[in-house]
Amino acid sequence: MTASSLITSMIDAARKAARGLARDFGEVTELQVSRKGAADFVSNADLKAEQVLFEALTKLRPGYGFLGEERGWIEGTDKTHRWIVDPLDGTTNFLHAIPHFAVNIALEREGQVVAAVTYNPISHDIFWAEKGRGTWLGNEKRLRVAARKHMDEALLATGIPFLGVPGHGQFLKELHQISQRVAGVRRYGAAALDLAWVAAGRFDGFWERGLKPWDTAAGLLMVSEAGGKVTDLNGDPYVPGAGSILAANLELHPQILEKLDAAG
């Protein structure tokens, strides 16, 4: 599948932002870092990458709104479209020289995500999806969610609340329900990549609470276009910014949801 001109331009923007991240990744001890909250950091690398994305995407589609992790909401003249952007998902990994982070871009039209790109600047994995055209790794490989049907075969991913974030007790109850029934649980620290990996069949499912729209908007489309199901933990259709998320294939999704619900 050849990517559309829209996706190609989004990939170009992600790669442009990633060049600075890849360069700064080799100099992490020299970066200026500030604290947004307890255990919540932002580096000048985040800020520079978001500026690159803002300029590239604004030039690509003048008038579209822009929701970014660092600069927040900027309303555009076109009220039907907005970019949802995380310039560096996995900042803590980045600051600890762990090569697992991503540039995340989604385009929303009238409340529906219609195009998405997630790019790891270190592995050079470029995941993209477009509504009605599937989910792809580069232009060569169409992605599908894993076909496993039983929880005892499944490898799941999650996020663990960190310092300053509520819900530690709830998470431990959920982990207790899940971990004794699956082949494994991973916590890699970049929700954008976790969701892309569900779409790619690397993970069989992913759940987390308290994520932001820029963490999940791209992954919502990728998992859906790869044949998976994405809801909140009440089982309702997921919308970016909902309080919780669960993504998995159609067979495992209800089984995982049942066990998470049993955690209370």
Side-chain angles (χ1 to χ4, degrees):
M1 170 71 73
T2 301
S4 68
S5 59
L6 171 63
I7 290 291
T8 298
S9 296
M10 292 169 66
I11 290 172
D12 288 344
R15 284 182 167 147
K16 187 175 182 180
R19 285 199 290 270
L21 296 176
R23 181 182 61 249
D24 289 340
F25 183 69
E27 304 291 341
V28 290
T29 59
E30 307 300 322
L31 288 175
Q32 294 179 342
V33 180
S34 57
R35 188 186 296 266
K36 294 192 290 184
D40 189 8
F41 303 97
V42 60
S43 72
N44 55 345
D46 298 72
L47 300 173
K48 289 188 296 184
E50 185 161 301
Q51 181 62 29
V52 170
L53 292 172
F54 178 74
E55 292 174 0
L57 297 174
T58 300
K59 182 178 180 181
L60 174 64
R61 293 290 191 272
Y64 283 15
F66 185 95
L67 177 62
E69 179 175 11
E70 308 309 334
R71 67 183 60 208
W73 169 238
I74 299 174
E75 189 171 5
T77 55
D78 184 332
K79 309 302 182 186
T80 63
H81 292 84
R82 67 170 177 171
W83 299 107
I84 305 176
V85 170
D86 191 341
L88 176 49
D89 184 60
T91 298
T92 301
N93 284 349
F94 178 84
L95 294 176
H96 287 259
I98 298 170
H100 191 77
F101 55 89
V103 179
N104 214 31
I105 306 172
L107 177 61
E108 190 179 74
R109 177 184 299 133
E110 296 181 340
Q112 299 291 319
V113 181
V114 296
V117 168
T118 299
Y119 178 51
N120 181 332
I122 306 304
S123 70
H124 301 293
D125 280 347
I126 184 81
F127 302 92
W128 64 269
E130 196 165 8
K131 193 169 183 63
R133 302 187 77 216
T135 303
W136 297 78
L137 179 60
N139 286 330
E140 297 79 30
K141 185 176 181 181
R142 184 163 188 171
L143 302 179
R144 300 293 297 179
V145 294
R148 296 179 186 88
K149 299 180 179 180
H150 306 290
M151 286 190 65
D152 61 2
E153 304 171 329
L155 178 65
L156 304 187
T158 189
I160 302 173
F162 50 82
L163 176 65
V165 176
H168 294 82
Q170 178 66 39
F171 169 77
L172 291 175
K173 289 190 290 183
E174 291 172 356
L175 186 63
H176 176 72
Q177 284 289 333
I178 294 293
S179 61
Q180 61 185 313
R181 294 177 169 88
V182 298
V185 178
R186 301 290 183 264
R187 198 280 198 231
Y188 279 6
L193 287 172
D194 289 335
L195 287 164
W197 284 21
V198 172
R202 300 178 185 180
F203 289 140
D204 296 290
F206 169 76
W207 90 94
E208 190 169 350
R209 295 180 181 271
L211 293 172
K212 302 297 185 182
W214 45 80
D215 298 317
T216 59
L220 165 63
L221 182 64
M222 289 183 188
V223 174
S224 300
E225 285 290 319
K229 183 175 183 177
V230 188
T231 69
D232 62 21
L233 295 188
N234 294 318
D236 297 321
Y238 181 78
V239 293
S244 60
I245 186 170
L246 169 61
N249 68 28
L250 299 182
E251 290 78 15
L252 286 173
H253 188 283
Q255 298 177 58
I256 299 168
L257 188 63
E258 178 186 6
K259 298 309 176 188
L260 292 172
D261 186 61

